Amino acid sequence: MTDALAHALAGILVAGVPLVLATLGETLTERAGVINLSLDGTILLAAMSAFAVSFSSNNAWLGLTAAVGVGCLAAAVLAVVSLLFNRSQLAIGFILTLLWRDLAYFLGHPYARQQGAQLPVWTIAGIKDLPFLGVVLGQQTPVVYFSLFLIPFSWWWLCRTRAGLRLRAVGEDPRAAYVRGIWVVGTRILYTLLGGALVGLAGGAYSLAVKPGWGRPQGAEGAGWIALAIVIFGGWHPLRAAFGAYLFAALQVVSIQLQDAFPAIPAPIFQVAPFPVMILTLLLVNIGDIGWLHDLSLRQPWLRRWLQRLQVRAPAALGQDFQPEEDS
Amino acid sequence: MRTFRGVAYRTGQVFAPVVLAVIVTSILLAVSGAPPLQTLAILLQGGIGSAAKLALSASVWVPLTLCSSALLFTFAAGLWNIGVEGQIILGAIMATGFLRLFPEGGSVLWIGGALLAGMLGGAFWALLSGLLRTWGRVHEIFSGLGLNFVALGLTLYLIFGPWKRPGIASMSGTEPIAPSFWLASYLNLPCSPVSLLLALVCLAVVAVLLGRTRWGLRLKAVGQNPNAALLVGLEPNRRILEAMAVCGAVAGLAGALQVVGVYHRLLPAISSQYGYTALLVAMLASYRVGLIPIICFFFAVLTVGSIQLPLQLQLDSSLSGVIQGCLVLAFFLVQGIEAKLRMQWGRS
């Protein structure tokens, strides 16, 4: 029994890798006040690039590097058009998600359904022989270990360092940050690129480890949108966002199991299951703002405490552009 | 002299994005080893090369035009209705469901009933998104997108479940509707004049409703500044729901027309991603009704022409999407550069 649980946890860790990476990347970007709506397309483009490069060079590490580079470049387009030239972040992000997806399908056409290199599985000697943990953590791909390292690291960076403080200042009150001498646009561009790099890594993890290979559809479709929703569910906080990502990964693992258990129910039902859940989780984090419930919670302290725990607040300047030239 | 500069300026505004998009596309084609000129020729020939191909482009133009003009309502109200795709699908599902009530065929009037059912379905799906936004504070991007996937799942469930063809359940769709419910087409071309007429009527209605009525003005006021609109008693939440419902109804009509006019059955790909493309069109048209039919025609030609790419050049048909995306992106980039330059000139 414990063995089955350990295997399930190991599976959730694997399935969660792309979601955790993309969610943490987008959390950092959004904390700087920038919405990158192009996640879904970027993940596909990075997945394609990772596979194409590792297929051509027979080196998965080179593929992973390519994915990071592509993610960075994809975010750079958003940064240039919407941060330097002040076009709507939502509009550009949406255009890019379609553009990157189609570009991935177009350029990836020759690589569809081929056998390519995959990331190696690392065996951690010290952990492998432990009873329960050994099954969960003993033998995993490097991206799993990296994602596990990134969760506390991004929290530390965001909440405990000077750089993180500057990053949050830029997302909360860019004017004040500007007056304090922080280069607002530069900081935003930096974290857009950094977030894009992590999203790219998420794409690479898909095609090199989680759902190896490339095809149309790849199987990563929709993941970027779910990651965007998890950022909200996570209240723009790395630890809570990572928790949300694993929750959705667990849902995916369970839905595959359920599919085997109930062959009579058509497979598409399980495939779309994450999306209503996505809507419901967003409803849940906003539930404290709903009129009558809010009024009720004012009279019932226990309800208020619970609602406050669920509730999230977006960075105040999220999605707004900032033009230092305009104010004096 | 001034008018000449004005004309030159306008022309530059239009052509700069086009030139940019052509350059980017040519580079892409060169990278993937395809001859750029020949590819573009195949695209155009595939889209307008013959009467049948032109009619095929027209059959793409109809749903694109309907959905793009429908989006003007939600954009006017300041909404990001990404759920058009799902609203098309629900329209198609409702229309198919309605016509399945008459397996033996029947009066032509029932086609009208199917179109109405489709509009109701689309409006219902859009209202779900709208209610989630006004009541549940879920952003319409997420509710819309989530509902798109739910609608797709529903279609697949129907095709493989209750509505499956006797014996064979496959991705090829449900049993065709009775032939008496197929929209009449001219000379057996793949596009019905009725659909074309409906799309034109829709354009006119949108232009009048948004440009000439008090209701349109209110929508725009809500879109411009929801807080101010609340204070002056414009009831933003009600306007949001109205805009959503109207937009969804038109998208649902597009879906119903896909059933009665094009495929005559429910397919998994019934919406053909027109909902997403329509968002690009609306943005490229800068939310002006007059430009929508022109851009939709261009996009429709690209879409139909790209079907030839895998056959003739072993390229993926998603090239049309790449060109469309590049074009809209280049448009925003040129607009941004222009604004930046103007600001600098203004200061010096």
Side-chain angles (χ1 to χ4, degrees):
Chain A
M1 188 58 211
T2 49
D3 212 36
L5 184 68
H7 278 294
L9 281 179
I12 291 169
L13 280 187
V14 174
V17 168
L19 282 180
V20 167
L21 293 174
T23 307
L24 290 178
E26 180 71 9
T27 298
L28 290 178
T29 306
E30 292 198 10
R31 275 314 268 272
V34 181
I35 298 179
N36 185 354
L37 213 57
S38 74
L39 255 55
D40 205 51
T42 306
I43 286 177
L44 273 181
L45 189 64
M48 187 281 295
S49 315
F51 182 77
V53 169
S54 70
F55 176 80
S56 311
S57 65
N58 208 18
N59 183 341
W61 290 104
L62 225 54
L64 210 59
T65 316
V68 173
V70 163
C72 221
L73 272 178
V77 176
L78 176 83
V80 167
V81 184
S82 71
L83 297 180
L84 287 184
F85 293 109
N86 299 94
R87 296 299 101 184
S88 153
Q89 291 166 16
L90 285 182
I92 303 302
F94 177 75
I95 296 164
L96 287 181
T97 204
L98 296 187
L99 180 58
W100 299 149
R101 183 200 64 196
D102 284 330
L103 196 60
Y105 288 146
F106 181 70
L107 293 178
H109 190 66
Y111 303 98
R113 274 167 271 286
Q114 310 261 14
Q115 283 287 338
Q118 284 181 29
L119 283 175
V121 173
W122 281 355
T123 309
I124 309 295
I127 302 175
K128 195 190 169 282
D129 301 320
L130 294 174
F132 184 79
L133 223 55
V135 182
V136 181
L137 277 174
Q139 286 187 306
Q140 292 279 18
T141 51
V143 281
V144 171
Y145 296 120
F146 179 70
S147 63
L148 286 175
F149 157 77
L150 191 67
I151 298 166
F153 180 79
S154 54
W155 168 79
W156 174 77
W157 183 263
L158 188 66
C159 303
R160 289 288 179 272
T161 64
R162 276 193 77 82
L165 189 66
R166 276 200 291 272
L167 151 65
R168 283 180 288 151
V170 164
E172 293 293 340
D173 195 341
R175 253 155 220 281
Y178 180 70
V179 174
R180 295 280 296 185
I182 298 174
W183 185 27
V184 174
V185 176
T187 311
R188 287 189 163 180
I189 291 176
L190 179 69
Y191 283 100
T192 306
L193 295 186
L194 185 71
L198 288 177
V199 173
L201 192 62
Y206 256 120
S207 63
L208 297 175
V210 179
K211 288 178 179 167
W214 172 253
R216 178 183 184 174
Q218 203 273 338
E221 282 85 354
W225 293 107
I226 289 179
L228 275 161
I230 296 174
V231 172
I232 302 175
F233 171 75
W236 292 271
H237 189 281
L239 299 184
R240 192 169 150 168
F243 171 71
Y246 282 122
L247 216 61
F248 266 82
L251 184 79
Q252 284 171 351
V253 172
V254 167
S255 75
I256 294 169
Q257 308 264 310
L258 284 178
Q259 204 169 323
D260 294 336
F262 300 98
I265 302 174
I269 303 297
F270 293 109
Q271 280 158 20
V272 300
F275 292 95
V277 175
M278 170 182 105
I279 296 177
L280 287 178
T281 47
L282 291 181
L283 201 58
L284 201 68
V285 296
N286 290 309
I287 207 161
D289 290 331
I290 293 168
W292 60 270
L293 214 64
H294 182 76
D295 295 345
L296 191 70
S297 75
L298 290 180
R299 271 174 279 136
Q300 305 284 348
W302 62 271
L303 186 65
R304 191 164 66 224
R305 269 202 302 280
W306 269 103
L307 289 179
Q308 273 169 355
R309 210 164 290 171
L310 283 171
Q311 217 156 17
V312 296
R313 203 182 54 81
L318 184 60
Q320 293 167 8
D321 52 283
F322 176 74
Q323 289 172 299
E325 293 90 1
E326 272 178 8
D327 43 81
S328 48
Chain B
M1 201 52 201
R2 179 175 283 169
T3 51
F4 173 74
R5 261 182 75 176
V7 169
Y9 198 69
R10 280 283 158 78
T11 331
Q13 265 180 326
V14 173
F15 277 96
V18 175
V19 170
L20 245 165
V22 167
I23 291 173
V24 173
T25 314
S26 308
I27 293 172
L28 274 178
L29 288 170
V31 167
S32 58
L37 278 179
Q38 197 194 340
T39 312
L40 290 178
I42 287 176
L43 274 177
L44 285 183
Q45 249 172 16
I48 50 177
S50 67
K53 280 169 180 161
L54 203 59
L56 214 55
S57 295
S59 76
V60 174
W61 180 82
V62 168
L64 259 189
T65 304
L66 284 171
C67 295
S68 319
S69 47
L71 274 167
L72 295 190
F73 291 116
T74 44
F75 271 123
L79 295 166
W80 265 88
N81 184 12
I82 284 190
V84 187
E85 188 76 6
Q87 291 146 27
I88 301 173
I89 296 177
L90 247 278
I93 290 177
M94 288 287 280
T96 315
F98 180 80
L99 292 176
R100 281 176 66 86
L101 297 174
F102 314 98
E104 306 298 320
S107 155
V108 179
L109 278 179
W110 295 128
I111 297 181
L115 296 183
L116 272 181
M119 291 176 81
L120 279 177
F124 166 69
W125 216 240
L127 272 177
L128 276 184
S129 236
L131 283 171
L132 277 165
R133 153 85 190 241
T134 57
W135 184 82
R137 304 206 170 213
V138 177
H139 197 284
E140 67 273 12
I141 287 184
F142 293 105
S143 60
L145 191 95
L147 288 171
N148 287 349
F149 282 95
V150 174
L152 184 64
L154 193 61
T155 311
L156 290 168
Y157 167 71
L158 288 169
I159 290 173
F160 287 97
W163 291 0
K164 70 173 169 230
R165 295 161 77 179
I168 28 161
S170 74
M171 293 296 272
S172 59
T174 59
E175 187 79 349
I177 54 174
S180 57
F181 294 141
W182 299 13
L183 268 192
S185 69
Y186 176 68
L187 292 177
N188 274 333
L189 289 171
C191 180
S192 162
V194 182
S195 304
L196 283 174
L197 192 70
L198 280 175
L200 289 173
V201 168
C202 172
L203 276 172
V205 168
V206 172
V208 170
L209 274 182
L210 279 182
R212 296 261 181 278
T213 64
R214 195 174 285 244
W215 182 73
L217 205 63
R218 283 184 179 140
L219 272 194
K220 284 183 208 160
V222 167
Q224 294 288 327
N225 191 338
N227 293 330
L230 184 70
L231 293 179
V232 296
L234 283 177
E235 301 171 83
N237 279 354
R238 201 182 119 196
R239 305 295 159 211
I240 283 173
L241 291 179
E242 284 171 355
M244 273 294 195
V246 175
C247 176
V250 179
L253 176 67
L257 283 173
Q258 289 290 96
V259 173
V260 294
V262 184
Y263 295 114
H264 310 127
R265 59 168 71 93
L266 187 63
L267 292 172
I270 193 91
S271 60
S272 311
Q273 309 256 351
Y274 294 148
Y276 298 123
T277 314
L279 274 153
L280 291 185
V281 175
M283 283 193 257
L284 192 54
S286 309
Y287 319 123
R288 276 176 300 201
V289 189
L291 290 175
I292 280 181
I294 305 165
I295 298 169
C296 281
F297 179 71
F298 178 61
F299 276 27
V301 169
L302 278 181
T303 307
V304 173
S306 69
I307 299 168
Q308 298 295 324
L309 293 177
L311 305 172
Q312 298 196 23
L313 293 174
Q314 280 79 49
L315 293 174
D316 198 275
S317 62
S318 55
L319 180 66
S320 61
V322 176
I323 298 177
Q324 289 162 356
C326 280
L327 197 60
V328 186
L329 185 67
F331 169 74
F332 274 95
L333 184 62
V334 169
Q335 216 182 37
I337 292 173
E338 187 203 322
K340 202 103 209 193
L341 287 177
R342 189 175 287 173
M343 210 161 70
Q344 272 168 9
W345 289 339
R347 284 198 308 175
S348 59

